[in-house]
PDB file of all heavy atoms in Angstrom:
ATOM      1  N   THR E  84     -34.871  78.861  -6.338  1.00 54.00           N
ATOM      2  CA  THR E  84     -36.219  78.873  -6.897  1.00 54.00           C
ATOM      3  C   THR E  84     -37.221  79.492  -5.905  1.00 54.00           C
ATOM      4  O   THR E  84     -38.016  80.338  -6.279  1.00 54.00           O
ATOM      5  CB  THR E  84     -36.665  77.414  -7.167  1.00 54.00           C
ATOM      6  OG1 THR E  84     -35.616  76.756  -7.887  1.00 54.00           O
ATOM      7  CG2 THR E  84     -37.903  77.358  -7.989  1.00 54.00           C
ATOM      8  N   TRP E  85     -37.102  79.134  -4.653  1.00 55.00           N
ATOM      9  CA  TRP E  85     -38.049  79.634  -3.632  1.00 55.00           C
ATOM     10  C   TRP E  85     -37.953  81.145  -3.568  1.00 55.00           C
ATOM     11  O   TRP E  85     -38.979  81.829  -3.374  1.00 55.00           O
ATOM     12  CB  TRP E  85     -37.766  79.028  -2.268  1.00 55.00           C
ATOM     13  CG  TRP E  85     -38.362  77.708  -2.092  1.00 55.00           C
ATOM     14  CD1 TRP E  85     -37.705  76.483  -2.044  1.00 55.00           C
ATOM     15  CD2 TRP E  85     -39.756  77.349  -1.976  1.00 55.00           C
ATOM     16  NE1 TRP E  85     -38.550  75.435  -1.874  1.00 55.00           N
ATOM     17  CE2 TRP E  85     -39.838  75.978  -1.801  1.00 55.00           C
ATOM     18  CE3 TRP E  85     -40.910  78.103  -1.889  1.00 55.00           C
ATOM     19  CZ2 TRP E  85     -41.051  75.317  -1.604  1.00 55.00           C
ATOM     20  CZ3 TRP E  85     -42.128  77.458  -1.708  1.00 55.00           C
ATOM     21  CH2 TRP E  85     -42.173  76.053  -1.588  1.00 55.00           C
ATOM     22  N   ILE E  86     -36.786  81.682  -3.609  1.00 50.00           N
ATOM     23  CA  ILE E  86     -36.602  83.120  -3.468  1.00 50.00           C
ATOM     24  C   ILE E  86     -37.252  83.844  -4.675  1.00 50.00           C
ATOM     25  O   ILE E  86     -37.945  84.817  -4.525  1.00 50.00           O
ATOM     26  CB  ILE E  86     -35.110  83.503  -3.392  1.00 50.00           C
ATOM     27  CG1 ILE E  86     -34.410  82.753  -2.197  1.00 50.00           C
ATOM     28  CG2 ILE E  86     -34.919  84.972  -3.260  1.00 50.00           C
ATOM     29  CD1 ILE E  86     -35.073  82.996  -0.807  1.00 50.00           C
ATOM     30  N   ASP E  87     -37.012  83.267  -5.882  1.00 55.00           N
ATOM     31  CA  ASP E  87     -37.638  83.809  -7.094  1.00 55.00           C
ATOM     32  C   ASP E  87     -39.151  83.710  -7.061  1.00 55.00           C
ATOM     33  O   ASP E  87     -39.837  84.489  -7.668  1.00 55.00           O
ATOM     34  CB  ASP E  87     -37.146  83.074  -8.305  1.00 55.00           C
ATOM     35  CG  ASP E  87     -35.603  83.183  -8.498  1.00 55.00           C
ATOM     36  OD1 ASP E  87     -35.053  84.156  -7.891  1.00 55.00           O
ATOM     37  OD2 ASP E  87     -35.037  82.337  -9.109  1.00 55.00           O
ATOM     38  N   ILE E  88     -39.651  82.748  -6.357  1.00 57.00           N
ATOM     39  CA  ILE E  88     -41.084  82.471  -6.273  1.00 57.00           C
ATOM     40  C   ILE E  88     -41.833  83.629  -5.604  1.00 57.00           C
ATOM     41  O   ILE E  88     -42.962  83.914  -5.881  1.00 57.00           O
ATOM     42  CB  ILE E  88     -41.342  81.156  -5.474  1.00 57.00           C
ATOM     43  CG1 ILE E  88     -40.969  80.007  -6.337  1.00 57.00           C
ATOM     44  CG2 ILE E  88     -42.729  81.064  -4.953  1.00 57.00           C
ATOM     45  CD1 ILE E  88     -40.912  78.703  -5.587  1.00 57.00           C
ATOM     46  N   LYS E  89     -41.139  84.356  -4.726  1.00 57.00           N
ATOM     47  CA  LYS E  89     -41.828  85.355  -3.907  1.00 57.00           C
ATOM     48  C   LYS E  89     -42.607  86.341  -4.816  1.00 57.00           C
ATOM     49  O   LYS E  89     -43.663  86.865  -4.451  1.00 57.00           O
ATOM     50  CB  LYS E  89     -40.794  86.118  -3.073  1.00 57.00           C
ATOM     51  CG  LYS E  89     -41.466  86.906  -1.990  1.00 57.00           C
ATOM     52  CD  LYS E  89     -40.456  87.442  -0.977  1.00 57.00           C
ATOM     53  CE  LYS E  89     -41.221  88.252   0.060  1.00 57.00           C
ATOM     54  NZ  LYS E  89     -40.367  89.060   0.849  1.00 57.00           N
ATOM     55  N   SER E  90     -42.045  86.618  -5.991  1.00 58.00           N
ATOM     56  CA  SER E  90     -42.750  87.568  -6.892  1.00 58.00           C
ATOM     57  C   SER E  90     -44.131  87.050  -7.283  1.00 58.00           C
ATOM     58  O   SER E  90     -45.032  87.843  -7.532  1.00 58.00           O
ATOM     59  CB  SER E  90     -41.896  87.804  -8.129  1.00 58.00           C
ATOM     60  OG  SER E  90     -41.703  86.598  -8.813  1.00 58.00           O
ATOM     61  N   SER E  91     -44.327  85.713  -7.331  1.00 58.00           N
ATOM     62  CA  SER E  91     -45.660  85.213  -7.694  1.00 58.00           C
ATOM     63  C   SER E  91     -46.672  85.408  -6.566  1.00 58.00           C
ATOM     64  O   SER E  91     -47.864  85.268  -6.771  1.00 58.00           O
ATOM     65  CB  SER E  91     -45.669  83.803  -8.164  1.00 58.00           C
ATOM     66  OG  SER E  91     -44.639  83.023  -7.659  1.00 58.00           O
ATOM     67  N   PHE E  92     -46.178  85.670  -5.333  1.00 58.00           N
ATOM     68  CA  PHE E  92     -47.052  85.801  -4.202  1.00 58.00           C
ATOM     69  C   PHE E  92     -47.727  87.170  -4.148  1.00 58.00           C
ATOM     70  O   PHE E  92     -48.781  87.319  -3.568  1.00 58.00           O
ATOM     71  CB  PHE E  92     -46.302  85.598  -2.900  1.00 58.00           C
ATOM     72  CG  PHE E  92     -45.782  84.216  -2.664  1.00 58.00           C
ATOM     73  CD1 PHE E  92     -44.704  83.996  -1.808  1.00 58.00           C
ATOM     74  CD2 PHE E  92     -46.265  83.143  -3.402  1.00 58.00           C
ATOM     75  CE1 PHE E  92     -44.202  82.731  -1.636  1.00 58.00           C
ATOM     76  CE2 PHE E  92     -45.767  81.879  -3.205  1.00 58.00           C
ATOM     77  CZ  PHE E  92     -44.741  81.670  -2.314  1.00 58.00           C
ATOM     78  N   THR E  93     -47.075  88.140  -4.760  1.00 60.00           N
ATOM     79  CA  THR E  93     -47.575  89.497  -4.566  1.00 60.00           C
ATOM     80  C   THR E  93     -48.982  89.699  -5.115  1.00 60.00           C
ATOM     81  O   THR E  93     -49.744  90.468  -4.554  1.00 60.00           O
ATOM     82  CB  THR E  93     -46.649  90.490  -5.248  1.00 60.00           C
ATOM     83  OG1 THR E  93     -46.377  90.075  -6.602  1.00 60.00           O
ATOM     84  CG2 THR E  93     -45.319  90.621  -4.514  1.00 60.00           C
ATOM     85  N   GLY E  94     -49.393  88.937  -6.135  1.00 64.00           N
ATOM     86  CA  GLY E  94     -50.753  89.061  -6.607  1.00 64.00           C
ATOM     87  C   GLY E  94     -51.775  88.351  -5.750  1.00 64.00           C
ATOM     88  O   GLY E  94     -52.978  88.546  -5.867  1.00 64.00           O
ATOM     89  N   GLY E  95     -51.348  87.444  -4.812  1.00 64.00           N
ATOM     90  CA  GLY E  95     -52.256  86.703  -4.000  1.00 64.00           C
ATOM     91  C   GLY E  95     -53.013  85.674  -4.765  1.00 64.00           C
ATOM     92  O   GLY E  95     -53.996  85.102  -4.261  1.00 64.00           O
ATOM     93  N   ASP E  96     -52.614  85.361  -5.968  1.00 81.00           N
ATOM     94  CA  ASP E  96     -53.312  84.348  -6.808  1.00 81.00           C
ATOM     95  C   ASP E  96     -52.937  82.958  -6.251  1.00 81.00           C
ATOM     96  O   ASP E  96     -51.795  82.510  -6.396  1.00 81.00           O
ATOM     97  CB  ASP E  96     -52.886  84.534  -8.259  1.00 81.00           C
ATOM     98  CG  ASP E  96     -53.407  83.468  -9.160  1.00 81.00           C
ATOM     99  OD1 ASP E  96     -54.226  82.600  -8.731  1.00 81.00           O
ATOM    100  OD2 ASP E  96     -53.034  83.461 -10.334  1.00 81.00           O
ATOM    101  N   THR E  97     -53.906  82.263  -5.679  1.00 84.00           N
ATOM    102  CA  THR E  97     -53.658  80.970  -5.037  1.00 84.00           C
ATOM    103  C   THR E  97     -53.079  79.985  -6.002  1.00 84.00           C
ATOM    104  O   THR E  97     -52.150  79.236  -5.666  1.00 84.00           O
ATOM    105  CB  THR E  97     -54.970  80.418  -4.405  1.00 84.00           C
ATOM    106  OG1 THR E  97     -55.457  81.366  -3.459  1.00 84.00           O
ATOM    107  CG2 THR E  97     -54.738  79.084  -3.683  1.00 84.00           C
ATOM    108  N   GLU E  98     -53.616  79.904  -7.221  1.00 86.00           N
ATOM    109  CA  GLU E  98     -53.064  78.951  -8.190  1.00 86.00           C
ATOM    110  C   GLU E  98     -51.613  79.246  -8.525  1.00 86.00           C
ATOM    111  O   GLU E  98     -50.795  78.307  -8.602  1.00 86.00           O
ATOM    112  CB  GLU E  98     -53.890  79.024  -9.485  1.00 86.00           C
ATOM    113  CG  GLU E  98     -53.555  77.902 -10.445  1.00 86.00           C
ATOM    114  CD  GLU E  98     -54.424  77.983 -11.762  1.00 86.00           C
ATOM    115  OE1 GLU E  98     -55.495  78.532 -11.720  1.00 86.00           O
ATOM    116  OE2 GLU E  98     -53.937  77.394 -12.762  1.00 86.00           O
ATOM    117  N   ALA E  99     -51.259  80.523  -8.688  1.00 83.00           N
ATOM    118  CA  ALA E  99     -49.866  80.865  -9.001  1.00 83.00           C
ATOM    119  C   ALA E  99     -48.965  80.501  -7.778  1.00 83.00           C
ATOM    120  O   ALA E  99     -47.847  80.039  -7.982  1.00 83.00           O
ATOM    121  CB  ALA E  99     -49.730  82.349  -9.287  1.00 83.00           C
ATOM    122  N   ILE E 100     -49.474  80.711  -6.591  1.00 86.00           N
ATOM    123  CA  ILE E 100     -48.697  80.404  -5.401  1.00 86.00           C
ATOM    124  C   ILE E 100     -48.494  78.878  -5.306  1.00 86.00           C
ATOM    125  O   ILE E 100     -47.379  78.387  -5.054  1.00 86.00           O
ATOM    126  CB  ILE E 100     -49.361  80.948  -4.105  1.00 86.00           C
ATOM    127  CG1 ILE E 100     -49.346  82.482  -4.129  1.00 86.00           C
ATOM    128  CG2 ILE E 100     -48.733  80.405  -2.863  1.00 86.00           C
ATOM    129  CD1 ILE E 100     -50.195  83.163  -3.103  1.00 86.00           C
ATOM    130  N   ILE E 101     -49.521  78.115  -5.559  1.00 89.00           N
ATOM    131  CA  ILE E 101     -49.419  76.640  -5.490  1.00 89.00           C
ATOM    132  C   ILE E 101     -48.459  76.180  -6.559  1.00 89.00           C
ATOM    133  O   ILE E 101     -47.570  75.329  -6.257  1.00 89.00           O
ATOM    134  CB  ILE E 101     -50.797  75.992  -5.644  1.00 89.00           C
ATOM    135  CG1 ILE E 101     -51.605  76.209  -4.368  1.00 89.00           C
ATOM    136  CG2 ILE E 101     -50.673  74.500  -5.957  1.00 89.00           C
ATOM    137  CD1 ILE E 101     -53.073  75.739  -4.472  1.00 89.00           C
ATOM    138  N   ASN E 102     -48.521  76.720  -7.738  1.00 87.00           N
ATOM    139  CA  ASN E 102     -47.592  76.360  -8.803  1.00 87.00           C
ATOM    140  C   ASN E 102     -46.176  76.673  -8.447  1.00 87.00           C
ATOM    141  O   ASN E 102     -45.236  75.921  -8.777  1.00 87.00           O
ATOM    142  CB  ASN E 102     -48.007  76.963 -10.174  1.00 87.00           C
ATOM    143  CG  ASN E 102     -49.205  76.321 -10.737  1.00 87.00           C
ATOM    144  OD1 ASN E 102     -49.520  75.153 -10.494  1.00 87.00           O
ATOM    145  ND2 ASN E 102     -49.978  77.044 -11.480  1.00 87.00           N
TER     146      ASN E 102
END
Side-chain angles (χ1 to χ4, degrees):
T84 313
W85 278 107
I86 304 304
D87 300 337
I88 286 170
K89 195 168 178 196
S90 59
S91 25
F92 295 159
T93 51
D96 175 5
T97 302
E98 190 180 336
I100 293 170
I101 287 173
N102 287 333

